[in-house]
């Protein structure tokens, strides 16, 4: 195996693909990125998976000899970032010794053969639909998903309807709903794990346009260079639409999202375990104070209009900075 690639292009793809590397695994090969050189097509393909998601990306390469190898993801990213040359050469000898050269530097490492990688099945769906804006959509919803990865509420429900893409997440304490791409119309409901959606969002920009489709029990996103696939969950997701229809708030407050985010940020100066933010709403101001064992923070103020008091779960703190427009309402209800 002998190839030459542009260093910056390779580094960018390695950083994207390595997001699929599992945090903990007993399978040594899964700690690495599978690299396959195709001399006939002048292509280098990178693949990584944690068996729940998989990412595959390709880039043009001057491939003199075809072959495959597994290189440790962190080593590969560090090496590419430290090279000072514009191109990188990668050579694999018969003994499994891999050499990377660029500029005045050279790294050698004993690599795993590509045949040992548990290559995921990555079929391309027959029918696809274009979708964009996934990064912003995920940012508005992921905070509300349950952290227990085994529960259905750790998923985000994506709904394709005549009005476009809609999504909802809930952890039992709160419900987050958001509209996505209006042009992404169809008739389907998908339960994608929040962690999987978070990875896709981390390697995407809102300007990215993906072709989205189903392949077996997985959802596939393809942008022409990068392919992302995630296993879908099956089961009965909480009927949040019915909950919202029956929702009868005792009071509501119209506030500036920017001022609310600033007040909460000022109040959350303490890094305490299991904190709660107390909101005391007066006639012309709202007081935000973080409650924790020991000394509470100094209250922060801004001016809405109402006259009640409520407590807010700390999970909301991760979401308030996402709001840039006027938000209505702050409404109180009980856990469902």
């Amino acid at each position: 195996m002998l190839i030459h690639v542009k260093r910056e292009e390779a580094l960018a793809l390695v950083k994207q693909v390595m997001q699929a590397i599992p945090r903990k695994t007993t399978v040594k090969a899964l700690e690495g990125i599978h690299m396959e050189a195709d001399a006939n097509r002048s292509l280098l393909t990178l693949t990584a998976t944690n068996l729940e998601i998989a990412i595959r990306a390709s880039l043009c390469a001057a491939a003199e000899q075809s072959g495959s190898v597994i290189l440790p993801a962190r080593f590969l990213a560090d090496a590419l970032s430290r090279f000072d040359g514009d191109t990188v050469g990668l050579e694999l000898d018969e003994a499994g010794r891999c050499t990377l050269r660029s500029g005045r530097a050279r790294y050698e490492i004993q690599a795993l053969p590509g045949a040992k990688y548990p290559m995921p099945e990555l079929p391309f769906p027959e029918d696809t639909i274009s979708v964009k804006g996934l990064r912003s959509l995920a940012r508005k919803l992921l905070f509300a998903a349950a952290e227990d990865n085994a529960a259905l509420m750790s998923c985000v429900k994506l709904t394709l309807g005549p009005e476009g893409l809609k999504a909802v997440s809930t952890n039992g304490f709160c419900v987050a709903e958001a509209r996505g791409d209006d042009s992404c119309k169809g008739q389907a409901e998908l339960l994608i794990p929040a962690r999987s959606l978070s990875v896709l969002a981390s390697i995407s920009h809102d300007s990215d346009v993906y072709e989205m489709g189903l392949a077996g029990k997985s959802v596939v996103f393809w942008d022409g260079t990068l392919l992302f696939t995630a296993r879908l969950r099956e089961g009965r997701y909480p009927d949040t639409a019915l909950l919202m229809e029956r929702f009868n708030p005792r009071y509501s407050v119209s506030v500036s999202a920017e001022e609310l985010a600033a007040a909460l940020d000022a109040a959350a100066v303490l890094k305490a375990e299991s904190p709660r933010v107390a909101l005391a709403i007066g006639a012309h101001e709202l007081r935000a104070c973080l409650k924790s064992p020991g000394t509470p923070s100094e209250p922060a103020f801004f001016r809405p209009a109402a006259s009640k008091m409520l407590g807010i779960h700390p999970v909301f703190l991760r979401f308030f900075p996402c709001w840039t427009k006027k938000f209505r309402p702050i409404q109180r209800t009980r856990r469902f």
Side-chain angles (χ1 to χ4, degrees):
M1 178 178 175
L2 177 60
I3 60 170
H4 292 85
V5 295
K6 292 183 179 180
R7 184 183 67 85
E8 291 186 356
E9 291 182 5
L11 177 59
L13 288 190
V14 166
K15 287 182 176 180
Q16 289 182 316
V17 171
M18 67 186 297
Q19 298 304 313
I21 301 294
R23 297 176 182 176
K24 295 181 180 180
T25 180
T26 58
V27 181
K28 187 68 175 179
L30 289 179
E31 297 177 351
I33 293 178
H34 181 273
M35 308 179 70
E36 183 175 3
D38 189 332
N40 294 326
R41 300 169 61 194
S42 298
L43 205 65
L44 175 64
T45 301
L46 312 178
T47 305
T49 182
N50 61 9
L51 305 182
E52 285 292 326
I53 65 172
I55 302 176
R56 174 175 290 173
S58 301
L59 71 158
C60 295
E64 300 180 27
Q65 297 177 11
S66 298
S68 63
V69 67
I70 305 170
L71 290 181
R74 179 54 58 188
F75 160 79
L76 184 57
D78 289 345
L80 290 173
S81 63
R82 293 179 182 181
F83 280 138
D84 56 2
D86 294 331
T87 62
V88 176
L90 187 151
E91 183 177 4
L92 180 68
D93 62 22
E94 295 181 356
R97 193 76 176 175
C98 186
T99 303
L100 283 77
R101 294 185 178 90
S102 180
R104 295 170 293 180
R106 181 180 73 178
Y107 292 101
E108 292 185 358
I109 186 173
Q110 190 66 35
L112 292 175
K116 288 191 175 183
Y117 196 79
M119 189 63 68
E121 294 184 6
L122 297 173
F124 195 81
E126 296 181 0
D127 298 319
T128 63
I129 186 171
S130 298
V131 60
K132 61 182 179 180
L134 291 175
R135 184 181 179 89
S136 290
L137 182 66
R139 191 162 175 252
K140 296 173 183 176
L141 295 165
L142 293 176
F143 81 99
E147 296 182 359
D148 181 3
N149 197 43
L152 272 182
M153 287 191 295
S154 66
C155 296
V156 173
K157 185 172 77 170
L158 303 179
T159 302
L160 279 69
E163 298 180 355
L165 176 64
K166 297 181 180 179
V168 63
S169 64
T170 181
N171 59 9
F173 289 95
C174 59
V175 178
E177 294 181 341
R179 295 179 63 91
D181 189 350
D182 292 338
S183 63
C184 183
K185 300 179 180 180
Q187 188 174 0
E189 289 188 354
L190 312 175
L191 292 181
I192 180 171
R195 291 184 181 179
S196 301
L197 185 59
S198 176
V199 173
L200 178 60
S202 70
I203 62 176
S204 304
H205 298 90
D206 280 331
S207 58
D208 293 339
V209 178
Y210 288 100
E211 292 298 317
M212 178 177 68
L214 297 177
K217 295 184 178 181
S218 298
V219 60
V220 177
F221 298 87
W222 165 250
D223 69 355
T225 300
L226 182 143
L227 185 144
F228 177 95
T229 179
R231 291 182 182 272
L232 297 173
R233 296 283 181 86
E234 296 179 344
R236 186 176 178 180
Y237 196 76
D239 190 347
T240 56
L242 179 61
L243 174 70
M244 298 303 290
E245 289 178 3
R246 296 179 177 179
F247 186 63
N248 184 24
R250 283 181 261 172
Y251 52 85
S252 64
V253 182
S254 180
V255 300
S256 163
E258 292 182 356
E259 291 183 13
L260 179 57
L264 290 172
D265 184 64
V269 295
L270 298 180
K271 303 296 183 181
E273 295 182 2
S274 302
R276 290 293 186 272
V277 177
L279 300 181
I281 305 173
H284 299 290
E285 70 178 14
L286 187 147
R287 175 181 300 179
C289 184
L290 183 133
K291 299 289 187 180
S292 63
T295 305
S297 66
E298 291 295 324
F301 302 91
F302 65 100
R303 299 181 180 279
S307 57
K308 294 288 181 179
M309 188 167 182
L310 67 155
I312 186 168
H313 194 273
V315 71
F316 283 101
L317 287 172
R318 302 201 300 268
F319 184 55
F320 280 124
C322 301
W323 293 328
T324 57
K325 297 181 179 180
K326 192 173 183 180
F327 172 71
R328 178 180 178 87
I330 296 177
Q331 297 176 331
R332 184 178 184 180
T333 186
R334 62 184 181 182
R335 181 180 180 182
F336 60 92

